[in-house]
Amino acid sequence: MSSLQKIYFLTVIILANFICPFCSTAQNIITNIDKKDILIGEQITYSLKIILPNAEYSVTLAVPDSIAHFEILDKQQNDTTDRNGTYSWQQKIVFTSFDSGSYPFPAFVYRINHLSTTSQPLSTDTFTVNVGYMPLDAGGKPRDITSVIDVPFFNILWVIGAVALLVFLIIIWLLYRYLNKKYKNPYATNAKTAYQLAMLALQNVKEANKTQSLTIKDYHTALATILKNYVGSISNQNILHNTSNQILQKLQAHQLKAETAAQTVEALQTGDAVKFAKYQASLLENEAALQYLQNTITEIHQSQQIKP
């Protein structure tokens, strides 16, 4: 073999070692598309798988960010080693379209790399995608356009609110009755009954005075209390702690006769003198004070009876 033949043979071997890896790998490309006919907005999954001899090989694939008439939704890329020891590179692309019609999906350019060597640009196959609308029901019957039907509106919240309001009003009414009964003036009583109680009390004091079972101070205290109880009962007030002057002011509303008013003043002043100044009233003064207050109560009672 001549020197020229040796050089030619060596060159062929080197070129074969350089080209064959890419030739062998280029034959192991698997592409798949799950559908080519879709409705508007329906998704398509396009996958590309390249079988490589080992992990020394890698793939570079250029996937554009946008394609005319198509929207790229997802791009997933991974490398795996199969059970038989072969190495594979995979790219999965999910896209859709919102334009009706038939559109070509372009080819992608990729390269197979081995260490520091890169193959010539290769490309995937192109295919056509048909994008359409939902098909019409050819067998369907035409229907007339009707007006909007009024639907009765019923809101359970209105019923709940009405019941709650009714319960609230009942509670308020019951509470009012309870408080009105609880805090009703205990001194308020029927005018006739108040007069009868006052006359009975005066009679008891008169009997006690005859038997001298009461001290002079207790005697006049009892007389003032009887008058206060009576006036408080007919006016629905508690005036037990009022002074004699305050009692006389309240009696002015009943327009007593001048003589009766003077007698009332005298009876109350005698009682104050006995209680506060230790005045020793005589038996006649005691009997006169009782009679004066009895006349006052009787006159007030009679004026209450003739009121319209």
Side-chain angles (χ1 to χ4, degrees):
M1 181 179 297
S2 63
S3 298
L4 183 59
Q5 290 177 335
K6 289 181 180 180
I7 293 174
Y8 175 78
F9 181 74
L10 182 60
T11 302
V12 171
I13 292 175
I14 293 174
L15 291 175
N17 290 332
F18 178 76
I19 297 174
C20 285
F22 300 112
C23 296
S24 61
T25 55
Q27 296 175 358
N28 296 319
I29 299 176
I30 303 173
T31 58
N32 180 60
I33 183 170
D34 59 349
K35 65 190 75 173
K36 294 184 179 180
D37 298 316
I38 64 169
L39 301 176
I40 290 180
E42 190 176 359
Q43 297 181 4
I44 299 176
T45 301
Y46 174 55
S47 60
L48 175 66
K49 182 177 182 182
I50 301 177
I51 307 299
L52 303 173
N54 51 60
E56 295 178 356
Y57 292 87
S58 63
V59 179
T60 303
L61 176 66
V63 180
D65 294 332
S66 61
I67 302 174
H69 303 292
F70 296 101
E71 297 289 338
I72 303 296
L73 303 178
D74 189 20
K75 294 184 291 185
Q76 300 177 3
Q77 178 181 319
N78 65 322
D79 302 333
T80 60
T81 302
D82 299 335
R83 293 182 178 180
N84 56 8
T86 59
Y87 184 76
S88 63
W89 177 93
Q90 299 182 60
Q91 174 81 57
K92 183 180 292 185
I93 303 171
V94 180
F95 64 95
T96 186
S97 177
F98 296 97
D99 299 332
S100 61
S102 297
Y103 306 104
F105 193 82
F108 296 144
V109 177
Y110 67 95
R111 297 174 184 268
I112 299 177
N113 310 312
H114 179 258
L115 299 178
S116 61
T117 306
T118 303
S119 70
Q120 295 296 321
L122 304 172
S123 61
T124 61
D125 295 333
T126 183
F127 53 89
T128 301
V129 177
N130 299 314
V131 184
Y133 294 97
M134 181 70 70
L136 296 176
D137 184 7
K141 297 181 179 180
R143 296 178 175 84
D144 296 333
I145 299 176
T146 59
S147 59
V148 179
I149 301 175
D150 293 333
V151 179
F153 177 75
F154 175 77
N155 193 341
I156 189 64
L157 295 179
W158 287 101
V159 178
I160 296 176
V163 173
L165 179 60
L166 180 61
V167 172
F168 175 75
L169 293 177
I170 293 176
I171 293 175
I172 293 297
W173 179 69
L174 293 176
L175 183 62
Y176 169 77
R177 289 193 58 186
Y178 170 76
L179 294 177
N180 187 54
K181 182 178 180 180
K182 180 177 180 180
Y183 295 104
K184 187 176 181 181
N185 190 346
Y187 302 97
T189 183
N190 182 272
K192 182 178 180 180
T193 303
Y195 174 74
Q196 293 174 347
L197 292 175
M199 292 298 104
L200 180 60
L202 288 174
Q203 184 63 33
N204 292 335
V205 172
K206 183 184 293 187
E207 297 295 333
N209 186 46
K210 290 181 180 180
T211 59
Q212 297 182 352
S213 58
L214 289 176
T215 63
I216 298 176
K217 181 178 180 180
D218 292 338
Y219 175 82
H220 285 275
T221 301
L223 292 180
T225 301
I226 293 171
L227 177 64
K228 292 178 181 180
N229 280 335
Y230 174 74
V231 176
S233 296
I234 62 175
S235 60
N236 296 334
Q237 294 178 345
N238 179 12
I239 59 175
L240 289 176
H241 300 289
N242 286 16
T243 63
S244 298
N245 290 334
Q246 292 173 329
I247 297 298
L248 292 173
Q249 291 177 0
K250 291 183 179 297
L251 291 177
Q252 292 178 1
H254 297 282
Q255 298 180 352
L256 296 174
K257 296 178 181 178
E259 181 181 0
T260 305
Q263 292 176 351
T264 306
V265 172
E266 182 179 346
L268 292 177
Q269 287 179 346
T270 301
D272 290 341
V274 171
K275 289 184 288 182
F276 302 112
K278 297 182 180 180
Y279 174 69
Q280 295 295 322
S282 64
L283 179 62
L284 293 177
E285 289 176 320
N286 294 339
E287 292 178 349
L290 187 148
Q291 186 62 47
Y292 292 161
L293 294 183
Q294 182 174 343
N295 295 340
T296 302
I297 295 173
T298 301
E299 184 174 330
I300 295 175
H301 175 67
Q302 292 175 347
S303 65
Q304 291 286 326
Q305 300 299 311
I306 62 175
K307 282 185 178 181

